[in-house]
Amino acid sequence: VPQDMPEAIQDRYSEKAAHCYGCGRLNERGHHLKTYWEGEETVTRFTPPSYSTAFPGLVYGGLIASLIDCHGCATAAGADERAAGGKKGEETVQRFVTAALHVNYLRPTPLGPELEIRGRVKETSGRKVVVEATVSANGTVTARGEVVTVRMPETMGSR
Amino acid sequence: VPQDMPEAIQDRYSEKAAHCYGCGRLNERGHHLKTYWEGEETVTRFTPPSYSTAFPGLVYGGLIASLIDCHGCATAAGADERAAGGKKGEETVQRFVTAALHVNYLRPTPLGPELEIRGRVKETSGRKVVVEATVSANGTVTARGEVVTVRMPETMGSR
């Protein structure tokens, strides 16, 4: 990775918290989703493998749910760090986990193009961060979701 | 398959509708989920692959969402057939697709044991069938979900 490449939020999950099939850098079989800040929004870009079909030519709903889920948790971790004043040296980010996931499938998602997941913090209160997200293909939103995340207990190796 | 084995609901999806990564018998890389009736409930049993981790030893949330999603669509297809008077010869079942998916993660789901997904029709109206489902491991419910499914247009090869 060149020095001037931006670092993804998931790149700073602690080792114990980096095994997620969706977005863990240490999961050898997983999707390795990477989430970045773009202003006040977060963005993840991912091209699903060819076998991720619902129907021929369309992405299956479970993957779309998974993209929104991992994107939501990363957005919560990033927002938590920003709220604390930004990155401090080599410190890892606080890991958040999903308490509830809601997805509305607005139209079929084509399988082939890169998908763009965009997120924004909707609400923060106590241990909870709520993230809303969209999934787009070719510039059209195909699904909308909301992820209710909670701060992971430190005893579970959250950072 | 022996003659006296019960047939899964997904075994009677039409060829065009049997490519889902979660539950399509024609998806070579997929999970091949199979849903059966048990009285008024439906049940799917599945042991996640070892790499389906959230954190070491726990199942990632995207897979849990995917299990509830496919289970919900199969339950809707099965309920639609029952409402029409049951299986008629070699006829395929009507395929339902997901409009909305809601999952509450109640506690961590252990990775290792077989998971049991149980569903029940909550509501039917017009083209819509709403299914509620639980995911259990070792007899303990770890997640609850609701799937709003809609009858797939025949033009999409739904049966």
Side-chain angles (χ1 to χ4, degrees):
Chain A
V1 180
Q3 287 293 318
D4 57 352
M5 274 289 283
E7 195 175 37
I9 296 169
Q10 290 92 343
D11 291 335
R12 299 213 326 287
Y13 283 174
S14 73
E15 277 203 19
K16 280 188 186 166
H19 294 268
C20 175
Y21 180 79
C23 67
R25 67 184 179 277
L26 302 179
N27 190 315
E28 289 180 13
R29 298 281 296 266
H31 294 318
H32 298 150
L33 299 173
K34 304 277 186 195
T35 303
Y36 302 92
W37 282 107
E38 284 190 13
E40 294 303 306
E41 289 193 343
T42 47
V43 63
T44 302
R45 294 186 176 87
F46 181 68
T47 303
S50 61
Y51 51 79
S52 310
T53 42
F55 296 86
L58 303 176
V59 179
Y60 83 104
L63 178 59
I64 291 166
S66 186
L67 296 175
I68 291 173
D69 184 12
C70 286
H71 183 81
C73 290
T75 300
D80 178 75
E81 183 180 59
R82 280 196 168 186
K87 185 181 173 182
K88 297 186 179 64
E90 295 306 307
E91 211 171 79
T92 57
V93 289
Q94 167 68 45
R95 188 77 154 86
F96 283 71
V97 293
T98 308
L101 175 65
H102 307 286
V103 182
N104 288 313
Y105 297 90
L106 306 175
R107 52 182 62 80
T109 300
L111 179 59
E114 180 182 76
L115 304 182
E116 186 179 270
I117 304 96
R118 286 197 164 267
R120 184 177 276 272
V121 173
K122 183 183 174 188
E123 183 193 329
T124 303
S125 66
R127 298 172 54 233
K128 192 170 79 172
V129 177
V130 182
V131 177
E132 51 190 14
T134 57
V135 177
S136 301
N138 299 323
T140 299
V141 173
T142 63
R144 279 184 189 280
E146 187 173 293
V147 192
V148 180
T149 72
V150 292
R151 183 182 295 268
M152 191 176 156
E154 301 245 345
T155 51
M156 287 180 73
S158 63
R159 68 181 301 168
Chain B
V1 180
Q3 286 293 319
D4 58 353
M5 274 288 285
E7 195 175 36
I9 295 169
Q10 289 93 342
D11 290 335
R12 300 213 325 287
Y13 283 173
S14 75
E15 278 203 19
K16 280 188 186 166
H19 294 268
C20 175
Y21 180 79
C23 67
R25 66 184 180 277
L26 302 178
N27 190 315
E28 290 180 13
R29 298 281 296 264
H31 294 319
H32 299 149
L33 299 173
K34 305 277 187 196
T35 303
Y36 301 93
W37 283 108
E38 285 189 13
E40 294 303 305
E41 290 193 343
T42 48
V43 64
T44 302
R45 293 186 176 87
F46 181 67
T47 303
S50 60
Y51 51 80
S52 310
T53 42
F55 296 86
L58 303 177
V59 180
Y60 83 104
L63 177 59
I64 291 166
S66 186
L67 297 175
I68 290 173
D69 184 13
C70 287
H71 184 81
C73 291
T75 300
D80 178 75
E81 184 180 58
R82 280 195 169 186
K87 186 180 173 184
K88 299 187 179 63
E90 294 306 306
E91 211 171 78
T92 56
V93 289
Q94 167 67 46
R95 188 75 153 87
F96 282 72
V97 293
T98 308
L101 175 64
H102 307 286
V103 182
N104 288 312
Y105 298 90
L106 307 176
R107 52 181 62 80
T109 300
L111 179 58
E114 180 181 75
L115 304 182
E116 185 179 271
I117 304 95
R118 288 197 163 266
R120 182 178 278 271
V121 174
K122 183 184 174 187
E123 183 193 329
T124 303
S125 66
R127 298 171 55 233
K128 193 170 80 172
V129 177
V130 182
V131 176
E132 51 190 13
T134 56
V135 177
S136 302
N138 299 324
T140 300
V141 174
T142 63
R144 281 184 188 279
E146 187 173 293
V147 192
V148 180
T149 72
V150 292
R151 185 181 296 268
M152 191 177 156
E154 301 244 348
T155 51
M156 287 180 75
S158 62
R159 68 183 300 167

